[in-house]
Amino acid sequence: MYAVIRTGGKQYKVKAGDLINVELLKKAQGDEFDMDEVLFVSGKASHVGEPTVSNAKVTVMVMKEDRDKKILVFKKKRRKGYRKLQGHRQSYTQLFVKAITSPDGESETAELKTKAPAEKVVAKKTAFKKKAATKKKTTKKKVAKKTTKKKTKKKA
């Protein structure tokens, strides 16, 4: 079972148990609330809203509020000497979809799985001994001297 919801001017396809990042909502961490702007609900029977499905709801829980990665906005006009660099970080709210309820009363729920604290695995660093560099024996090549004969001119 899945639903399409609308929040923050965007539409999201969600299933029970999903984590989604939506536009910043003025809710505290851990709050649970229902989203009533449900545009579509699937299940045994599909319900399409005009524009929303009445009596359908999606129950969500606020996990955290955070900010996204920084993006750089760079503007330039060639040959005019105009350059502008600006950074932006979008704020978002992370939601956990707990339940989806259709107008027929059919619902699907999911529980939040918390990760058990994992045991710290300490990786042993194996120290590799460097092999002693073996020097190559180089033999000096004997350079043969060229003997040049001096040409002498005899005076006649």
Side-chain angles (χ1 to χ4, degrees):
M1 178 177 219
Y2 72 91
V4 177
I5 60 172
R6 179 173 56 199
T7 178
K10 298 177 183 71
Q11 297 176 5
Y12 300 91
K13 178 182 173 184
V14 295
K15 293 185 213 172
D18 282 354
L19 280 173
I20 57 170
N21 295 337
V22 299
E23 292 288 322
L24 188 66
L25 300 172
K26 299 293 180 191
K27 303 282 184 182
Q29 185 174 352
D31 282 355
E32 216 175 285
F33 63 98
D34 294 333
M35 301 194 86
D36 296 325
E37 284 198 75
V38 181
L39 305 175
F40 179 81
V41 178
S42 77
K44 292 181 183 175
S46 297
H47 300 280
V48 180
E50 295 176 9
T52 60
V53 180
S54 59
N55 299 329
K57 63 182 178 179
V58 175
T59 306
V60 295
M61 186 171 79
V62 177
M63 298 303 293
K64 67 177 181 178
E65 288 183 0
D66 204 2
R67 295 176 76 192
D68 219 349
K69 295 188 314 185
K70 179 180 263 192
I71 61 166
L72 297 177
V73 180
F74 182 68
K75 297 180 180 180
K76 179 183 176 180
K77 294 190 178 180
R78 62 186 190 151
R79 298 188 302 271
K80 305 294 181 210
Y82 172 77
R83 295 176 0 146
K84 184 178 179 182
L85 180 67
Q86 187 175 3
H88 176 74
R89 289 185 71 187
Q90 184 69 35
S91 299
Y92 68 88
T93 302
Q94 188 177 48
L95 300 175
F96 173 73
V97 180
K98 279 190 117 173
I100 299 172
T101 307
S102 71
D104 299 340
E106 181 186 352
S107 68
E108 183 177 327
T109 60
E111 292 297 320
L112 180 62
K113 295 179 183 176
T114 56
K115 294 182 180 177
E119 295 178 16
K120 291 185 179 180
V121 178
V122 179
K124 292 182 181 179
K125 291 186 177 180
T126 56
F128 293 104
K129 292 183 180 178
K130 290 186 177 180
K131 293 182 180 178
T134 55
K135 291 186 178 180
K136 292 183 180 179
K137 293 183 180 179
T138 56
T139 56
K140 292 185 179 179
K141 293 183 180 179
K142 292 184 179 178
V143 179
K145 291 185 179 179
K146 291 185 180 179
T147 55
T148 56
K149 293 181 181 178
K150 291 185 180 178
K151 294 184 181 178
T152 58
K153 290 186 181 180
K154 290 185 181 179
K155 293 185 180 179

